[in-house]
Amino acid sequence: LSLRDLGLRLNQPAGKQSRAFLVDSRGQVLISGDPARVPGTLLPGLGDAPAGDRPQALITPTAGGRVLGVAPLPSLGWAVVLEQPRAVALAAPRKLRQQVIFWTGISAVAALLIAIFFGQTLARPIAALVDSARLLAQGTFKRLNVRSRDEIGQLSATFNEMAGAIELRDREIRAWNEELQARVEERTRELKEAQDQLLESRKLAAIASLGAGAAHEINNPLFVVQGMSELLLLRHGADPEVKDLSETIHREAKRIGRIVAQLQTLSSTAPRGRRDRLDLNRVLDDVLDEQQRPLAEAQIVVVRDYAHPLPLVGGQRAALVQALAQLVDNARQAMAAGGTLTVATQVIDAGAVRVTLADTGAGIEAEHLPRVFEPFFTTKGTWSGTGMGLALVRKTIDDHGGSVKIESQVGQGTRVLLTFPLVAGKSHLV
């Protein structure tokens, strides 16, 4: 066996710090690539181990900080050994370890950044969903902006649908509550007005009852006074002074008689008598036509705003004409410097019609409004009537099953609202 070519190859320098050897199964050097180590010597770390126990590949440390790399040749039982310093032999693993550590760090940082990115990507819509749910619990509806089709996007879309349904239901409930509250307030106002009307009617009835009790006692001496004044006129009418005094006595006695008669009317509980089917538009036209001259002289413009057609009401024409004429006359007196009187009719529901008389007069003080229907109460500067006008109006409207209400503001005018039921025998309290 010629080892010449193999020796030449092993003697070629594998590196300044590396040496190659060919050893037999006992670790003796057959060919040496190191001038300092001749053939026949043993390499440290190889000769101690039996040949059968030697691994097929081996890296083992030696003295002086060097390592041996062994590549077995099974067919010959020999081995090729490469001796290198530890630093050189382990340079590649060390570099690989550094690269592994470096790329592991880079991978960890990249993984952290990716985790943060995806965490933020997931956290933002979840936080928005939590905020919207909290606002929804407080009654504020905030729709989510759905930008993805993943599970978060589907959850947000479902939340929007749920919030929309809740919002719609909430609006309906609020609308129902507002409507219910409005109805309750309206009914409460109607009941209060009805109670006030009932109290006024009872108060008026008490006053009228007192006046009726005294009417009989007043009429007897009153007839005597009237008779004596007429007798004085017959006997001493030629004397101007006696005539003037007698006429004054007779006139005032008749005025007292009218007041007594009105008190008796207020206290009357007799049946209402025959009722006719009346068109309030025509009744108002008759009253206004009769009052046309005094209204024109007072420079009052009359505006007629009638509803057509207007359902008929049951009532006594003469009593209604007298009551409406009293209201028109009160409006005329309230507009001493002229103004506008608006007379309107309207259907307020299926069972009632309303007549409204609105003037632009001086108006009535708020503290006086509760007393305007009391007998002998007046806000006029001069006493020219009997003080029973509005009390009789109230009695007439009550007899017709209706209601009367006065609204007024000082300096802006007064509105009188008369409400009449369409069905005879039923009352309307508003």
Side-chain angles (χ1 to χ4, degrees):
L1 177 64
S2 176
L3 302 179
R4 180 182 180 84
D5 292 338
L6 183 58
L8 293 175
R9 291 181 179 275
L10 293 178
N11 286 324
Q12 292 178 357
K16 294 181 179 181
Q17 298 177 342
S18 300
R19 298 290 182 268
F21 304 94
L22 179 63
V23 298
D24 61 10
S25 59
R26 295 176 299 174
Q28 289 185 346
V29 178
L30 299 178
I31 299 175
S32 174
D34 183 4
R37 183 175 286 112
V38 296
T41 61
L42 292 176
L43 288 177
L46 289 177
D48 298 337
D53 296 336
R54 293 177 187 172
Q56 297 296 317
L58 173 66
I59 297 178
T60 179
T62 62
R66 303 175 70 82
V67 297
L68 299 178
V70 180
L73 299 175
S75 60
L76 299 176
W78 298 345
V80 176
V81 178
L82 181 66
E83 182 184 31
Q84 289 180 318
R86 179 182 294 274
V88 176
L90 300 180
R94 187 180 295 110
K95 182 177 181 181
L96 179 60
R97 184 182 63 179
Q98 292 174 351
Q99 291 178 348
V100 169
I101 294 174
F102 173 78
W103 289 111
T104 301
I106 293 297
S107 300
V109 173
L112 179 61
L113 294 177
I114 293 174
I116 293 175
F117 172 76
F118 281 105
Q120 292 294 329
T121 303
L122 294 176
R124 279 195 296 268
I126 293 176
L129 181 60
V130 172
D131 292 339
S132 297
R134 185 181 298 110
L135 292 175
L136 181 62
Q138 297 174 358
T140 302
F141 305 99
K142 180 181 179 182
R143 298 185 65 85
L144 296 173
N145 187 11
V146 181
R147 297 182 178 180
S148 62
R149 296 183 180 180
D150 56 6
E151 289 77 3
I152 299 297
Q154 294 177 1
L155 179 61
S156 300
T158 304
F159 178 83
N160 286 339
E161 294 177 1
M162 180 190 69
I166 294 176
E167 182 179 9
L168 179 60
R169 191 63 176 173
D170 182 75
R171 289 178 180 175
E172 293 177 354
I173 293 175
R174 289 179 185 272
W176 293 339
N177 289 339
E178 291 176 358
E179 182 180 359
L180 179 60
Q181 183 178 1
R183 289 183 179 181
V184 170
E185 291 177 353
E186 179 67 17
R187 294 305 179 188
T188 302
R189 183 185 62 80
E190 292 178 358
L191 290 175
K192 185 178 183 304
E193 291 181 356
Q195 183 180 15
D196 292 342
Q197 292 180 19
L198 182 61
L199 292 176
E200 288 293 331
S201 298
R202 289 181 177 178
K203 186 191 329 183
L204 188 61
I207 296 175
S209 178
L210 178 63
H216 178 73
E217 301 298 329
I218 294 176
N219 276 333
N220 290 333
L222 185 61
F223 291 150
V224 175
V225 172
Q226 288 180 341
M228 296 300 293
S229 62
E230 293 175 356
L231 184 60
L232 285 175
L233 284 174
L234 290 175
R235 292 183 178 181
H236 305 284
D239 187 343
E241 184 177 0
V242 174
K243 180 181 178 181
D244 184 61
L245 292 175
S246 299
E247 289 178 349
T248 300
I249 294 172
H250 188 266
R251 183 173 63 253
E252 295 302 320
K254 290 181 66 176
R255 180 168 175 268
I256 294 174
R258 289 195 300 273
I259 295 174
V260 171
Q262 291 175 347
L263 283 174
Q264 290 176 329
T265 301
L266 286 177
S267 62
S268 174
T269 57
R272 294 175 179 174
R274 179 184 174 184
R275 291 193 171 200
D276 299 320
R277 305 292 290 175
L278 302 176
D279 184 351
L280 290 178
N281 289 342
R282 293 185 178 180
V283 175
L284 288 169
D285 282 337
D286 293 342
V287 173
L288 294 175
D289 291 343
E290 183 181 350
Q291 299 282 337
Q292 181 177 3
R293 183 174 179 179
L295 290 173
E297 291 177 351
Q299 298 181 351
I300 295 174
V301 178
V302 178
V303 177
R304 307 185 192 198
D305 183 14
Y306 297 160
H308 294 286
L310 189 68
L312 301 179
V313 299
Q316 295 177 328
R317 183 181 184 85
L320 287 178
V321 167
Q322 183 176 0
L324 292 172
Q326 178 67 50
L327 294 175
V328 172
D329 186 65
N330 287 351
R332 179 183 61 81
Q333 296 182 41
M335 294 183 286
T340 301
L341 173 62
T342 302
V343 181
T345 59
Q346 64 179 130
V347 180
I348 59 173
D349 55 38
V353 296
R354 174 170 291 169
V355 176
T356 303
L357 294 91
D359 64 60
T360 57
I364 303 173
E365 298 284 348
E367 61 269 20
H368 294 158
L369 284 176
R371 301 187 58 195
V372 293
F373 293 110
E374 294 181 4
F376 311 114
F377 178 80
T378 182
T379 59
K380 301 175 183 178
T382 58
W383 186 283
S384 58
T386 62
M388 302 284 289
L390 288 179
L392 291 173
V393 170
R394 179 65 172 272
K395 179 68 166 55
T396 300
I397 303 304
D398 287 345
D399 288 344
H400 284 76
S403 63
V404 56
K405 179 181 178 181
I406 294 183
E407 300 173 350
S408 184
Q409 286 186 330
V410 177
Q412 297 186 14
T414 301
R415 294 176 65 218
V416 182
L417 296 89
L418 309 174
T419 305
F420 298 91
L422 299 181
V423 180
K426 290 188 177 181
S427 298
H428 202 283
L429 299 178
V430 181

